[in-house]
Amino acid sequence: MSSLFESLQQFLRQTLDPSTNKLAEQSLSQLEMQPGFPQALVQLIGDDAVDPTLRFTGAVFFKNYIKRNWVPDNEASDRISQSDREMIKSNIVSLMISVPERMQLQVSDALSIIASEDFPSRWQSLLPELVNRFSDSDYKTNNGILHTAHSIFKKWRSQFKCDELFSEIKYVLDGFCPKYLVLFQVTDSMIDRHADNAAALAVLSQSMLLLVKIYYDLNCQDLPEFCEDNLPFFSSMFKKYLVYDNPLMTTDDDEEAGMLEKIKTSICEVIELYAQRYYEDFPQLSEFLPTIFQLITNASPEAKHDRLVCKAISVLTSSAKLDSQASTFSNTEAMTNICQNIVLPNVTLRTSDEELFEDNPIEYIRRDIEGSDSDTRRRAAADLVRGLMERFEGPVTTIFTQYINSYLETYKKNPQAEWKAKDTAIFLLVAISAQRATNLHGVTRTNALVNVVDFFTSNILGDLQSEVNQGVPILKVDAIKYLYTFRNQLTKDQLLTVFPLLVTHLQSRDYVVHTYAAIAIERILVLRQGKLPLFTPEDIKPFAEPMLTQLFALIEVGQTPEKLSENDYLMKAIFRVIVTSRKDMVPYVTVIMSKLTNVMAIISKNPSNPKFNHFVFESIGGLIKFVCPVSGEATNEFEKLLFGPFEVIIAQGVQEFVPYAFQLLAQLLEHHTGSHLPDNYVGLLNLVLDPSFWEQGNIPALVRLLEAYLTRGITNILETNRLETILGIFQQKLIVSRQNDHYGMTLMNAVIKAVPLDILKNYMPALVNCILRRLQSKRRDGKMVFDRFTRNVTLWYCLFFTLERLGSPDELIQVMDSMQPGLFGQVWESVLLNDLNSMRDPIEYKICSYGVVRLLTASNLLFQTQSYVESVWPRTFSALLSQLELPPDFKNDNDDELDRLEVDEESSMYQNTFSRLSTTAPLRDDPTSAFPPAKVFLAQQLMAMPVERRNIAKQALGVVERANEFLPKYFAEAGLPIDQF
């Protein structure tokens, strides 16, 4: 143990030195495999004799060690023994309390990670220990416990309601709340007692903030009886601290909020929650509103008060929607007061906004762009206006229209000096006009009392038509943003008229102006008319080359990887132009690819903006997708351009980009035909099958690439004996992993589609055995947990039954029943049949429907065992009828899949583990495309059964509910006489 302790200190110390950092991290990875490692680490963190810097480093390592290993992805290789787990849980609370505050946060985070998995069912001692550790005087200890409690409880805020969740919350309420109430009372009295003691208040104010945050946690799902019973006390506390003032709890910093501002902000969040969810049980709400109003009007314009003002305004917004508070907001005087004292001061552009516009334009854009600035005063004030509009549309529109007209008149008298007046007018107009909006379409419903198109013509268009680099940049931005916001209200002809103006504004020297032009162009190109894009390749053909040229020029201004990739909006616009232009990109593809590969080479040195990176690779995928099908040599040209850069990315281990490279290689490989691999892919296969590449972030992309190899190179794979390696990856890397077991079944789908049956037979027993063991691990407390893996297993079985080249379904049934008689029926009835009706994807639905029809009609074994005939066959037939009578929404057969291509932040946001490229998605293979409709197919196959099996089937159908109702319809649809069945 002593040598382990010494080695641990040595390696942790070496991680602090850049010259030895990597080697030390590797040594620690080896060391953590040794027995007793967690105990040595806990000992080091808690040892006061050890250097504080080393202890802190150990605390950080401990948190990350827990994060990596507490929930093992591979259940067969758990790095923390059960005895070490119990040791950690027994010591971690004491450790957290005893260490200095800086370390306390790290240990608390580790505790929270453990609790998220084990609490309460597998860690019932935690809550009593936390509660018993509370102190009436040691608030350093209390803050550690409160921080831990909040980190455990706050997960409830985002969880779906279920019995298990409410049981956990009730368990906490019963064990935690009595002491919590006492601590709240004591903390309040201590703050009063130490009102002139800055050091004491620094600790106590942190306690009060955590107590308020925990109150929100306890109420986030439902109003607990404890809180309802003690609502008078808590309301009095909240009122007290909303008006509480003590200079020792504030800060002189203009940017950073002090503890008092944070406490008031959290109280506002609680009141907003009650106004939204529990207003019927919260009669005190009306007593809070004057205080909230005063809080907003008294707040300074400094940034440190921004979140407080935003949350306070949100309270008013939620209250304005309530019938019980209508009298507070309904009269003209109250509305005018709100407009003058709440809305107008908070929508007017501040000096700090102008400074941000000039000094940090990309941050200004991210705060300002639609939906991204939820914590800005402007957005909060606009939401308040919309909240008032829900109940008082006419009066609110009238009041604000007067202010809008007044601001516009002020501007017209002196445009150069009064440009802020127009900025405010435009913002207010958008606030009262936009009633519903989405990121995809912009505003989808407007205020009928406001003509947004007329306002655009009269007050906006002129700013777009003026010379690009003249005038006030912010008004240019306002004009572009107005067009961007109300793009859905303009006709295609109107958009085509202003589109050249947006293209021209890409040439603006102002960063925000040309970026907003790119944003508006990108969002306009996303608009659809029914199921088809509004803008066709022909519409943008005259602008495609100048747009791409200017967008690349703006990106290439950046001289470092960080600056070059800073503006993801520009790269997203490039992507959108490419996928809108489609095959019209053929003349420019060489130039564009040269630009993209150059950008890729630069940013790979330091990948710093995930969104930008993502759209670089989406753009490459878009070019491959649309150019390769119309240009015979394009695939080879893309490979010449990309293989070199991808080899560098893979060799240098640029983790952020390796999954992208694998996806694009899969896409290119699929553009080849035949079953022999091109030479450049043969060598790559060795790399793909290297076990070291099969780490978490690479696995989905590698599975995608292996699918392409199986589809296009099965001959090479079999000739070089690589199939066993692929199956080994399935068994050792995929099927045993919690995170990736479902990808294992995706790979198995590709295997059974590509591998000949005579070869596949040799491996089926081992493969099925692996799948069954994994299914068994899905049982929790005697119940089956259905997830993506179980669903994919059901799909795999049905695909096997569907593929006629694999023979009869008996091939698979026999494999299972040879392991244990009747095993297929047990698994099929208890597990797989339950997932059948969850198949809502149209192709998966069809595979399951046709697969089950073939199971019912083409299997001999299903008719040879009494239990199969009496139970499995009729239950399966009943499930099939349910499925056939509840089909998914099938896409229009005339729809072009490419017309559905849409990449948005929500669907393609880069993630640390894996980010799927939409443009590289393969064309879906439908193995049922040659079959007639499923109902017709069922009737045909029933009629085609041999007479003896048909007679058995008719007897089994006697217990199938509603068979007599549906089968005549199916036979009629197939043009077959049912009486002959």
Side-chain angles (χ1 to χ4, degrees):
M1 181 69 180
S2 60
S3 61
L4 179 62
F5 189 76
E6 290 168 3
S7 298
L8 178 59
Q9 291 187 75
Q10 176 189 341
F11 296 144
L12 285 174
R13 190 176 293 109
Q14 289 173 354
T15 63
L16 303 174
D17 184 345
S19 64
T20 57
N21 177 274
K22 284 194 176 298
L23 190 60
E25 288 178 352
Q26 294 171 5
S27 300
L28 283 169
S29 294
Q30 296 297 318
L31 196 67
E32 68 181 42
M33 304 288 288
Q34 293 189 22
F37 175 81
Q39 188 171 350
L41 188 55
V42 169
Q43 179 187 336
L44 181 142
I45 298 167
D47 191 341
D48 291 335
V50 175
D51 175 59
T53 302
L54 208 57
R55 292 176 68 195
F56 178 74
T57 306
V60 174
F61 187 88
F62 177 65
K63 178 187 72 175
N64 292 326
Y65 171 78
I66 295 296
K67 185 184 295 184
R68 286 195 311 273
N69 298 310
W70 196 265
V71 183
D73 179 53
N74 185 340
E75 293 168 0
S77 58
D78 190 347
R79 290 190 171 194
I80 308 179
S81 68
Q82 190 58 40
S83 60
D84 281 337
R85 288 172 179 270
E86 294 304 321
M87 180 278 299
I88 291 170
K89 289 195 286 190
S90 297
N91 290 280
I92 193 167
V93 174
S94 299
L95 180 67
M96 179 198 66
I97 291 169
S98 64
V99 297
E101 184 178 358
R102 200 161 71 112
M103 282 181 256
Q104 194 176 70
L105 295 176
Q106 302 298 323
V107 178
S108 176
D109 287 346
L111 192 157
S112 302
I113 295 166
I114 298 171
S116 67
E117 179 68 13
D118 289 10
F119 179 79
S121 59
R122 294 195 298 275
W123 198 1
Q124 295 186 356
S125 63
L126 174 60
L127 189 65
E129 185 174 4
L130 288 174
V131 171
N132 290 335
R133 295 278 188 167
F134 275 129
S135 167
D136 290 338
S137 57
D138 183 359
Y139 268 78
K140 173 183 170 293
T141 295
N142 288 347
N143 285 350
I145 297 169
L146 290 172
H147 180 272
T148 301
H150 172 53
S151 64
I152 296 170
F153 304 160
K154 70 180 179 183
K155 67 178 181 180
W156 300 335
R157 299 185 183 198
S158 58
Q159 290 184 333
F160 291 108
K161 296 180 185 294
C162 65
D163 291 343
E164 185 179 356
L165 172 63
F166 284 114
S167 295
E168 180 180 329
I169 294 174
K170 186 179 185 308
Y171 170 76
V172 169
L173 288 166
D174 291 344
F176 183 79
C177 285
K179 189 66 178 180
Y180 167 78
L181 177 61
V182 171
L183 189 63
F184 210 125
Q185 294 165 337
V186 172
T187 304
D188 170 57
S189 64
M190 294 276 282
I191 288 174
D192 289 341
R193 193 182 315 157
H194 296 280
D196 57 354
N197 185 335
L201 286 177
V203 178
L204 291 167
S205 60
Q206 180 69 28
S207 304
M208 181 56 72
L209 176 62
L210 288 166
L211 287 165
V212 175
K213 286 183 174 183
I214 290 172
Y215 188 87
Y216 188 105
D217 298 336
L218 298 174
N219 285 267
C220 65
Q221 287 288 342
D222 201 357
L223 180 60
E225 185 179 348
F226 163 81
C227 295
E228 193 172 4
D229 291 344
N230 292 283
L231 194 53
F233 165 74
F234 286 112
S235 293
S236 67
M237 289 291 97
F238 296 153
K239 287 177 191 173
K240 172 180 176 177
Y241 284 98
L242 280 177
V243 298
Y244 186 83
D245 187 27
N246 188 330
L248 296 179
M249 290 173 65
T250 60
T251 174
D252 294 331
D253 192 324
D254 291 345
E255 299 291 327
E256 185 67 31
M259 289 306 302
L260 192 55
E261 287 87 1
K262 292 178 180 179
I263 291 169
K264 292 180 179 182
T265 301
S266 289
I267 291 172
C268 287
E269 289 178 328
V270 171
I271 298 169
E272 182 188 9
L273 174 70
Y274 270 60
Q276 291 174 342
R277 303 268 296 277
Y278 314 126
Y279 52 87
E280 293 180 350
D281 300 299
F282 188 44
Q284 297 92 339
L285 176 60
S286 57
E287 301 171 17
F288 277 96
L289 295 181
T291 304
I292 295 291
F293 192 96
Q294 204 63 40
L295 192 66
I296 299 168
T297 55
N298 289 344
S300 74
E302 294 165 350
K304 67 179 179 181
H305 286 138
D306 284 354
R307 279 205 82 233
L308 173 58
V309 170
C310 290
K311 293 303 177 185
I313 292 176
S314 295
V315 173
L316 297 183
T317 302
S318 299
S319 302
K321 300 174 184 179
L322 300 175
D323 290 338
S324 60
Q325 304 302 319
S327 59
T328 306
F329 298 92
S330 59
N331 63 76
T332 304
E333 182 183 353
M335 287 187 193
T336 304
N337 192 17
I338 290 171
C339 177
Q340 289 180 341
N341 295 298
I342 303 291
V343 176
L344 296 181
N346 288 295
V347 300
T348 303
L349 207 64
R350 295 178 295 169
T351 302
S352 59
D353 298 322
E354 295 179 69
E355 291 172 350
L356 190 65
F357 187 99
E358 295 291 338
D359 300 336
N360 193 352
I362 193 67
E363 180 61 23
Y364 177 91
I365 294 164
R366 288 185 178 134
R367 288 190 189 183
D368 181 62
I369 195 167
E370 181 178 345
S372 299
D373 59 347
S374 56
D375 275 342
T376 66
R377 299 191 191 205
R378 275 195 145 192
R379 177 67 57 191
D383 289 342
L384 174 57
V385 172
R386 294 188 183 105
L388 291 167
M389 294 280 291
E390 287 188 20
R391 297 183 62 85
F392 317 110
E393 183 176 80
V396 172
T397 302
T398 300
I399 291 170
F400 280 100
T401 300
Q402 292 170 358
Y403 282 101
I404 290 167
N405 291 333
S406 174
Y407 280 121
L408 289 174
E409 287 301 317
T410 301
Y411 167 76
K412 288 174 184 175
K413 290 175 184 176
N414 191 346
Q416 197 64 33
E418 299 291 349
W419 62 267
K420 285 187 183 180
K422 184 173 183 179
D423 172 78
T424 303
I426 294 171
F427 190 89
L428 287 174
L429 191 283
V430 173
I432 65 171
S433 303
Q435 294 186 337
R436 186 176 298 160
T438 67
N439 282 340
L440 184 61
H441 299 106
V443 173
T444 56
R445 191 177 75 187
T446 60
N447 182 347
L449 303 175
V450 181
N451 190 322
V452 296
V453 177
D454 281 356
F455 188 88
F456 174 77
T457 305
S458 303
N459 299 287
I460 302 295
L461 186 58
D463 288 317
L464 290 174
Q465 292 172 328
S466 64
E467 206 279 324
V468 170
N469 290 305
Q470 289 184 355
V472 180
I474 288 181
L475 291 185
K476 287 276 190 185
V477 171
D478 287 342
I480 297 170
K481 189 180 178 185
Y482 188 95
L483 176 58
Y484 154 84
T485 301
F486 293 109
R487 59 192 180 273
N488 211 36
Q489 281 61 55
L490 298 175
T491 65
K492 181 176 180 178
D493 288 341
Q494 290 170 323
L495 289 171
L496 283 170
T497 301
V498 297
F499 195 81
L501 301 177
L502 292 174
V503 176
T504 302
H505 278 78
L506 290 175
Q507 299 173 18
S508 171
R509 291 191 295 268
D510 188 275
Y511 189 102
V512 181
V513 173
H514 65 237
T515 301
Y516 251 112
I519 292 168
I521 288 168
E522 192 275 329
R523 288 290 87 183
I524 286 171
L525 293 181
V526 170
L527 289 174
R528 312 187 80 73
Q529 194 169 43
K531 295 181 179 180
L532 299 177
L534 182 63
F535 279 72
T536 66
E538 198 64 32
D539 292 327
I540 70 164
K541 194 170 186 177
F543 311 109
E545 184 180 9
M547 279 194 291
L548 290 172
T549 300
Q550 184 59 22
L551 286 166
F552 274 115
L554 292 169
I555 288 171
E556 289 165 352
V557 169
Q559 298 298 307
T560 64
E562 297 80 10
K563 289 300 291 183
L564 185 117
S565 63
E566 174 186 74
N567 196 329
D568 46 272
Y569 303 107
L570 300 179
M571 185 51 70
K572 189 177 182 184
I574 289 172
F575 160 75
R576 188 64 60 197
V577 172
I578 289 171
V579 297
T580 304
S581 298
R582 303 192 172 206
K583 61 184 176 62
D584 287 351
M585 287 287 99
V586 170
Y588 317 115
V589 67
T590 303
V591 175
I592 298 171
M593 280 300 300
S594 174
K595 298 273 190 189
L596 288 170
T597 52
N598 182 54
V599 167
M600 182 173 62
I602 295 171
I603 61 177
S604 66
K605 296 173 184 175
N606 183 18
S608 56
N609 184 347
K611 284 187 183 180
F612 183 95
N613 302 340
H614 187 89
F615 286 110
V616 169
F617 290 98
E618 284 284 14
S619 298
I620 295 171
L623 288 170
I624 295 170
K625 187 181 189 79
F626 297 119
V627 173
C628 285
V630 297
S631 176
E633 291 300 312
T635 302
N636 289 332
E637 291 302 316
F638 276 115
E639 288 169 348
K640 289 177 185 176
L641 287 166
L642 291 172
F643 260 76
F646 285 171
E647 286 173 357
V648 172
I649 286 170
I650 294 168
Q652 293 181 351
V654 185
Q655 287 302 314
E656 296 88 342
F657 290 177
V658 169
Y660 289 132
F662 288 147
Q663 290 176 82
L664 289 166
L665 288 168
Q667 184 186 23
L668 286 168
L669 178 54
E670 285 168 344
H671 279 287
H672 290 276
T673 56
S675 59
H676 282 275
L677 289 174
D679 291 341
N680 47 358
Y681 289 94
V682 174
L684 180 65
L685 184 56
N686 292 327
L687 193 68
V688 172
L689 296 178
D690 183 342
S692 66
F693 273 99
W694 288 79
E695 301 301 329
Q696 181 67 33
N698 294 334
I699 282 177
L702 280 169
V703 169
R704 166 89 174 83
L705 183 51
L706 272 188
E707 287 181 273
Y709 268 105
L710 287 162
T711 304
R712 293 289 183 262
I714 187 62
T715 302
N716 295 76
I717 288 171
L718 296 177
E719 287 175 351
T720 56
N721 298 317
R722 303 295 180 81
L723 180 60
E724 288 193 5
T725 308
I726 293 172
L727 298 180
I729 287 171
F730 164 75
Q731 293 174 304
Q732 296 166 26
K733 293 289 186 180
L734 300 178
I735 197 73
V736 295
S737 166
R738 293 188 186 194
Q739 299 294 322
N740 300 306
D741 51 10
H742 62 288
Y743 287 116
M745 297 314 302
T746 301
L747 182 60
M748 282 301 98
N749 287 344
V751 167
I752 63 173
K753 285 179 183 178
V755 179
L757 179 61
D758 60 328
I759 297 175
L760 188 62
K761 277 184 175 181
N762 299 323
Y763 302 102
M764 283 298 291
L767 294 176
V768 170
N769 192 35
C770 281
I771 294 169
L772 294 180
R773 283 205 310 270
R774 189 64 187 167
L775 280 175
Q776 186 63 30
S777 75
K778 297 291 178 178
R779 292 194 176 275
R780 300 283 188 275
D781 301 324
K783 295 181 181 178
M784 195 72 188
V785 176
F786 292 95
D787 58 12
R788 286 187 293 179
F789 173 75
T790 61
R791 182 175 166 280
N792 282 5
V793 171
T794 300
L795 182 64
W796 182 76
Y797 270 75
C798 291
L799 178 63
F800 192 103
F801 299 152
T802 299
L803 296 174
E804 293 181 336
R805 72 174 194 81
L806 295 179
S808 159
D810 288 345
E811 294 285 351
L812 183 51
I813 297 173
Q814 195 167 13
V815 169
M816 296 184 66
D817 283 359
S818 65
M819 299 175 181
Q820 177 186 318
L823 180 60
F824 169 77
Q826 294 174 30
V827 175
W828 181 257
E829 283 194 284
S830 64
V831 180
L832 305 181
L833 210 54
N834 293 300
D835 258 335
L836 199 61
N837 283 328
S838 68
M839 305 294 175
R840 296 291 91 195
D841 173 84
I843 290 179
E844 293 179 356
Y845 169 89
K846 289 167 69 177
I847 289 171
C848 288
S849 298
Y850 291 102
V852 172
V853 170
R854 278 184 43 78
L855 173 65
L856 289 167
T857 59
S859 167
N860 285 316
L861 294 176
L862 226 55
F863 291 90
Q864 292 178 3
T865 305
Q866 186 176 1
S867 63
Y868 283 6
V869 172
E870 293 179 353
S871 179
V872 176
W873 200 95
R875 278 199 62 197
T876 303
F877 202 100
S878 180
L880 176 64
L881 291 180
S882 299
Q883 188 176 28
L884 294 178
E885 292 303 313
L886 187 65
D889 292 330
F890 283 89
K891 299 174 184 176
N892 188 324
D893 290 338
N894 297 320
D895 279 359
D896 182 351
E897 277 296 316
L898 305 182
D899 287 334
R900 297 176 171 273
L901 182 64
E902 165 55 17
V903 180
D904 208 9
E905 288 84 351
E906 290 77 15
S907 61
S908 69
M909 177 74 84
Y910 173 91
Q911 300 167 4
N912 288 330
T913 51
F914 175 67
S915 194
R916 190 180 307 279
L917 293 172
S918 295
T919 48
T920 66
L923 291 174
R924 297 288 300 279
D925 171 37
D926 182 2
T928 70
S929 57
F931 292 153
K935 295 176 182 178
V936 172
F937 186 65
L938 172 60
Q940 291 174 345
Q941 295 304 301
L942 285 171
M943 283 294 292
M945 291 168 66
V947 174
E948 59 275 16
R949 291 217 311 259
R950 201 188 309 169
N951 290 333
I952 298 172
K954 284 194 286 189
Q955 291 181 352
L957 283 170
V959 298
V960 177
E961 191 176 343
R962 304 187 76 182
N964 291 332
E965 177 184 349
F966 295 124
L967 278 181
K969 298 177 185 177
Y970 301 169
F971 273 77
E973 193 175 333
L976 296 171
I978 194 170
D979 56 347
Q980 293 184 15
F981 172 67

